[in-house]
Amino acid sequence: MLLQAFIYEHIGISLGDHKIYLVQARLAKRVKALGLESFGAYYDFLVADQSGVEFEYLSSLISTNVTSFFREAKQWEYLKSYLPTLLEKKEGKLRIWSAACSSGEEPYSIAMFLKEYLPRDKTYDIKILATDVSSKVLKMAMRGVYTSKACANLDTHYLKSYFSEHPHESQRLYHVSPSLKQMIVFREFNLVTGDYRLLESVRFDIIFCRNVMIYFDKPTQNRLVERFYTLLGKEGYLFIGSSEALTDMKKGFYSKSASIYQKV
């Protein structure tokens, strides 16, 4: 199916027949709204669209964008114990990539974590790159405004220290502080088709790519892991989702703990 092949080629997600039917069901209203008569006509419209608007719509539709603050608690505990060693090795310079950052909870969690656990008596050179294929969720991340539901499991200390509270209609909204925002650079980037040469000038100390590879087939996963290996600095870390594992793809990586790998 043409639409199925397009999604695989441009987004990297391999959809079985049952899943492509689900995507079509979700797309039905869009097809109708565009005045098109079939999914074949929608495919032609998608390919011909030079603005990227329709690709963005499709990407948002099939992406889950499920995230939360400080998810994968064991990884943060590991990072807390490792941070002093990392700072010593890198002489206070850290480069971290939050790949597939969705609506921003992950990179803001990284920034809060560093604010909490970096020694206060020194100055550090820290940059966090946060990327996602969807410009829609990136705009939400850059805005840095979250509902009380999104912040429900966030410790009160973090809310008071790094957010400002604003009443809004029937709910409270929490705005991320400028001190966190200035630590992060948000960019649109496709992990499958993106130009990795744009990132080669950086050697990352840590790459977070959690709960993303489960949507890719094995060849795509392998290519992605190889790219991460190249972009990581000496003894750099790759953090993946707890439901994921590199298994036969971990050439060049050593398993430090469940879902935590270090570049050999």
Side-chain angles (χ1 to χ4, degrees), residues 49-81:
D49 178 35
Q50 297 296 315
S51 69
V53 171
E54 202 55 39
F55 177 76
E56 166 63 24
Y57 183 91
L58 181 64
S59 298
S60 297
L61 182 75
I62 66 174
S63 300
T64 56
N65 293 319
V66 175
T67 186
S68 61
F69 290 104
F70 289 104
R71 63 177 176 171
E72 310 285 3
K74 290 182 179 179
Q75 291 185 348
W76 297 105
E77 287 301 317
Y78 181 91
L79 192 55
K80 181 180 176 181
S81 66

Side-chain angles (χ1 to χ4, degrees), residues 158-195:
Y158 289 108
L159 282 176
K160 290 182 177 179
S161 301
Y162 303 109
F163 294 80
S164 57
E165 184 178 337
H166 300 263
H168 178 74
E169 296 178 355
S170 60
Q171 63 178 331
R172 292 190 180 101
L173 295 179
Y174 295 89
H175 294 227
V176 173
S177 72
S179 67
L180 294 188
K181 287 187 175 183
Q182 67 184 12
M183 297 172 67
I184 305 168
V185 175
F186 290 97
R187 291 286 183 269
E188 187 175 342
F189 190 78
N190 189 319
L191 291 174
V192 176
T193 64
D195 186 354

Side-chain angles (χ1 to χ4, degrees), residues 38-245:
S38 67
F39 289 109
Y42 177 77
Y43 169 80
D44 293 337
F45 177 83
L46 179 66
V47 172
D49 178 35
Q50 297 296 315
S51 69
V53 171
E54 202 55 39
F55 177 76
E56 166 63 24
Y57 183 91
L58 181 64
S59 298
S60 297
L61 182 75
I62 66 174
S63 300
T64 56
N65 293 319
V66 175
T67 186
S68 61
F69 290 104
F70 289 104
R71 63 177 176 171
E72 310 285 3
K74 290 182 179 179
Q75 291 185 348
W76 297 105
E77 287 301 317
Y78 181 91
L79 192 55
K80 181 180 176 181
S81 66
Y82 170 67
L83 187 61
T85 303
L86 178 62
L87 290 170
E88 184 177 347
K89 286 182 177 180
K90 301 301 178 179
E91 298 180 343
K93 178 181 178 180
L94 292 180
R95 297 294 181 264
I96 301 172
W97 181 16
S98 170
C101 70
S102 188
S103 48
E105 284 89 336
E106 180 173 272
Y108 288 128
S109 294
I110 296 169
M112 285 187 281
F113 174 86
L114 294 175
K115 285 277 191 183
E116 286 294 304
Y117 294 108
L118 287 177
R120 307 277 180 174
D121 58 342
K122 294 183 180 180
T123 301
Y124 298 94
D125 178 7
I126 297 171
K127 288 186 174 60
I128 302 167
L129 173 65
T131 67
D132 201 275
V133 68
S134 171
S135 62
K136 179 180 178 180
V137 295
L138 274 176
K139 289 176 182 176
M140 294 171 59
M142 293 173 70
R143 186 166 173 249
V145 177
Y146 298 94
T147 63
S148 53
K149 181 179 179 181
C151 298
N153 295 320
L154 192 56
D155 190 280
T156 304
H157 166 72
Y158 289 108
L159 282 176
K160 290 182 177 179
S161 301
Y162 303 109
F163 294 80
S164 57
E165 184 178 337
H166 300 263
H168 178 74
E169 296 178 355
S170 60
Q171 63 178 331
R172 292 190 180 101
L173 295 179
Y174 295 89
H175 294 227
V176 173
S177 72
S179 67
L180 294 188
K181 287 187 175 183
Q182 67 184 12
M183 297 172 67
I184 305 168
V185 175
F186 290 97
R187 291 286 183 269
E188 187 175 342
F189 190 78
N190 189 319
L191 291 174
V192 176
T193 64
D195 186 354
Y196 280 81
R197 291 174 298 179
L198 300 173
L199 303 175
E200 287 178 354
S201 62
V202 182
R203 282 296 176 266
F204 293 100
D205 302 299
I206 304 172
I207 295 176
F208 289 82
C209 186
R210 303 190 288 192
N211 304 307
V212 176
M213 290 192 290
I214 53 174
Y215 297 104
F216 299 152
D217 63 5
K218 189 64 71 175
T220 305
Q221 291 175 354
N222 274 309
R223 288 194 297 272
L224 190 56
V225 171
E226 288 171 1
R227 284 165 172 161
F228 288 156
Y229 180 87
T230 300
L231 291 171
L232 280 167
K234 183 180 179 181
E235 299 181 349
Y237 275 80
L238 174 62
F239 288 69
I240 61 177
S242 57
S243 60
E244 301 170 310

